[in-house]
Amino acid sequence: MQRLAQRARAFDGRRPLVWDLLVTGFFTTAALIDFTGGGWRNIAHNTDVPGALVLVLSLGMSAPLLWRRRRPMTALVVMLAFGAVNSGSGAMLQIYLVQLIVLFNIALRLPLKTLGWAGMLMTAPLVVGTIRYPKGSWDQQIVPQVWAYTLVALLGIAVRSRQDYTRALVERARQLEVERDQQARLAAAAERTRIAREMHDIIGHNLSVITGLADGGKYAATKSPERAAQALDAIGSTSRQALAELRRLLDVLREEATEVDGAAETAELAPQPALTDLDRLIDGVRSAGLPVRSTFHGRADSLPQGQQLTVYRVVQEALTNTLKHAGPGATATVEVSYAADGVSVSVTDTGQGGAPSDGGRGLTGMRERTALYAGTLEAGPRPHPDPGWQVRLHLPRAAAPPTTAPSTSPTAPLTAPLTEKESAQ
């Protein structure tokens, strides 16, 4: 039954004129049957009403139903005009009750102010009939009809409220769907940015190191075959390290495990680079031919993993840019300081190259990583007359959650003695 009602509403939505013609035709046919059969005389106050007038009244109070949805107020006014003649002549045709259908449509579609005016107009034929043919007290003739009008109007208001509520729910669902799609697109864009940043850091750095090693091996091949073999070994180890990092990154991107021979195959996870890996990073740059002097102040025991990764990537990108753009004979200095208010990093070189020529992707990646932890990043040429480029990073220390037991001794110093590593190249 519910499915049939849904189909009927759908058909009415597609072809409203067909339904209007059917409803109007039904009640017009009923009025004509009442006229031709003479049934109207059973309740008429005046049975001597001319047949032509009865026919006109029957059509005049049924045909306006065709406009009940498009122009309900106009249809009601036309019906009331014929209804006043109907009551005044004493015919009292029952077809006048179809004005309740128009009243329902007014309550359903027009403002409540219009509904009030319609209700007052509908009492006019009642007053005319009561005055022309009084039977008993006036309230017995008018009040029941007014109650009927009121109930129909309340029914129209209830249906209208229900339709408004349903439309609001549908619109809300549509908005939620749009917001969900927008959030999904934003999340996908953020994930693509993160992946691009990681790929740039991994591939750009390792390829720069491999290029430096290849150039050095080519130069050493004619004079020192042993050094050339060492360069090839370093190229192999650097390539394997880059492939391992790429595999790890791609494995993490898998949304779910795949099943192979009935067993779940999950991504092999490994920790992201941390500050403990800076020595290996710097040694790899040195092996590519760039002398690097590294200095560390303090300890990074309580630095969050995310900040450690940011420091690592910024140092990696800065040294990669030095390898690419500093030119021959350049040296680099890496200084990392851990303090109570955060961590500071300075990477400088003595090269003659300009700004990075990769479209700013490296610098953009460094700034994005820095912004994640409300830090500051400065990148640009060193102050005159010093040649070269410098990158300065500061990340404020994140508030550490309270712990039940301290990770270090209460008497441990905030900073450790200065340690220094310098290339022998």
Side-chain angles (χ1 to χ4, degrees):
M1 189 65 182
Q2 184 178 1
R3 184 176 299 178
L4 183 62
Q6 291 177 351
R7 290 181 178 177
R9 284 194 294 268
F11 178 81
D12 182 42
R14 294 192 303 268
R15 295 179 176 85
L17 182 60
V18 174
W19 185 252
D20 291 342
L21 288 173
L22 288 175
V23 172
T24 305
F26 173 81
F27 284 104
T28 301
T29 302
L32 292 177
I33 291 174
D34 187 47
F35 162 68
T36 57
W40 60 276
R41 290 186 175 87
N42 295 328
I43 59 172
H45 295 328
N46 179 14
T47 58
D48 296 329
V49 179
L53 179 60
V54 174
L55 177 60
V56 172
L57 292 175
S58 299
L59 296 176
M61 288 187 290
S62 59
L65 277 176
L66 188 62
W67 310 323
R68 76 186 192 282
R69 290 195 288 189
R70 289 174 293 175
R71 295 180 180 179
M73 198 62 188
T74 302
L76 181 65
V77 171
V78 174
M79 285 183 174
L80 292 178
F82 285 96
V85 176
N86 178 53
S87 299
S89 65
M92 306 304 293
L93 300 177
Q94 293 299 300
I95 194 63
Y96 85 95
L97 291 176
V98 298
Q99 65 186 353
L100 296 177
I101 300 177
V102 180
L103 178 63
F104 176 84
N105 280 269
I106 292 175
L108 186 64
R109 306 174 192 281
L110 299 183
L112 294 180
K113 182 179 179 180
T114 306
L115 179 62
W117 283 107
M120 288 188 292
L121 290 175
M122 291 178 70
T123 60
L126 299 178
V127 174
V128 171
T130 302
I131 295 175
R132 184 71 174 82
Y133 297 98
K135 286 187 178 181
S137 62
W138 66 271
D139 57 329
Q140 293 178 346
Q141 292 183 270
I142 295 179
V143 172
Q145 298 293 332
V146 171
W147 272 112
Y149 298 161
T150 303
L151 291 176
V152 171
L154 291 176
L155 178 61
I157 293 173
V159 174
R160 178 178 186 169
S161 300
R162 181 66 179 177
Q163 289 180 350
D164 292 342
Y165 177 71
T166 303
R167 281 193 293 266
L169 289 180
V170 172
E171 178 64 19
R172 178 59 179 165
R174 188 191 65 80
Q175 291 178 354
L176 289 176
E177 185 176 357
V178 172
E179 291 176 2
R180 181 198 63 191
D181 295 341
Q182 290 177 345
Q183 291 175 356
R185 286 194 293 269
L186 291 175
E191 185 66 11
R192 285 196 296 269
T193 302
R194 185 187 70 83
I195 295 170
R197 188 168 59 234
E198 292 291 334
M199 295 287 285
H200 175 272
D201 292 341
I202 294 172
I203 297 177
H205 170 74
N206 287 287
L207 286 181
S208 296
V209 172
I210 291 172
T211 301
L213 290 171
D215 291 341
K218 180 181 178 180
Y219 175 79
T222 57
K223 297 183 179 181
S224 178
E226 295 180 357
R227 295 292 298 275
Q230 293 176 359
L232 291 175
D233 291 338
I235 289 174
S237 62
T238 303
S239 301
R240 285 188 291 273
Q241 178 183 352
L243 287 174
E245 292 186 13
L246 284 175
R247 289 194 185 101
R248 182 171 65 246
L249 177 61
L250 295 175
D251 287 342
V252 171
L253 296 179
R254 294 180 183 175
E255 295 182 355
E256 57 184 10
T258 57
E259 292 188 0
V260 178
D261 296 331
E265 180 188 16
T266 57
E268 180 183 357
L269 303 180
Q272 291 275 32
L275 293 177
T276 55
D277 300 308
L278 277 178
D279 289 338
R280 187 178 62 178
L281 171 68
I282 293 173
D283 289 340
V285 175
R286 286 173 179 156
S287 65
L290 176 66
V292 182
R293 180 174 178 264
S294 58
T295 305
F296 299 86
H297 299 274
R299 302 172 61 180
D301 295 340
S302 60
L303 200 65
Q305 178 65 29
Q307 289 191 351
Q308 292 191 39
L309 177 61
T310 297
V311 172
Y312 180 91
R313 292 303 190 196
V314 169
V315 173
Q316 182 186 54
E317 179 63 26
L319 292 178
T320 301
N321 289 336
T322 300
L323 279 171
K324 290 181 182 178
H325 310 293
T331 62
T333 301
V334 178
E335 184 174 354
V336 183
S337 300
Y338 310 104
D341 62 339
V343 58
S344 299
V345 179
S346 175
V347 182
T348 59
D349 64 60
T350 60
Q352 303 297 323
S357 58
D358 60 351
R361 289 187 293 271
L363 292 178
T364 300
M366 288 193 289
R367 292 191 177 97
E368 289 174 350
R369 292 181 184 276
T370 303
L372 289 176
Y373 297 97
T376 57
L377 179 75
E378 299 177 0
R382 299 175 64 187
H384 186 76
D386 297 332
W389 191 268
Q390 65 179 1
V391 175
R392 297 185 182 275
L393 167 71
H394 177 74
L395 297 179
R397 186 176 295 275
T403 55
T404 56
S407 59
T408 58
S409 172
T411 59
L414 289 178
T415 58
L418 174 67
T419 62
E420 184 176 297
K421 296 182 181 179
E422 186 170 359
S423 172
Q425 299 183 27

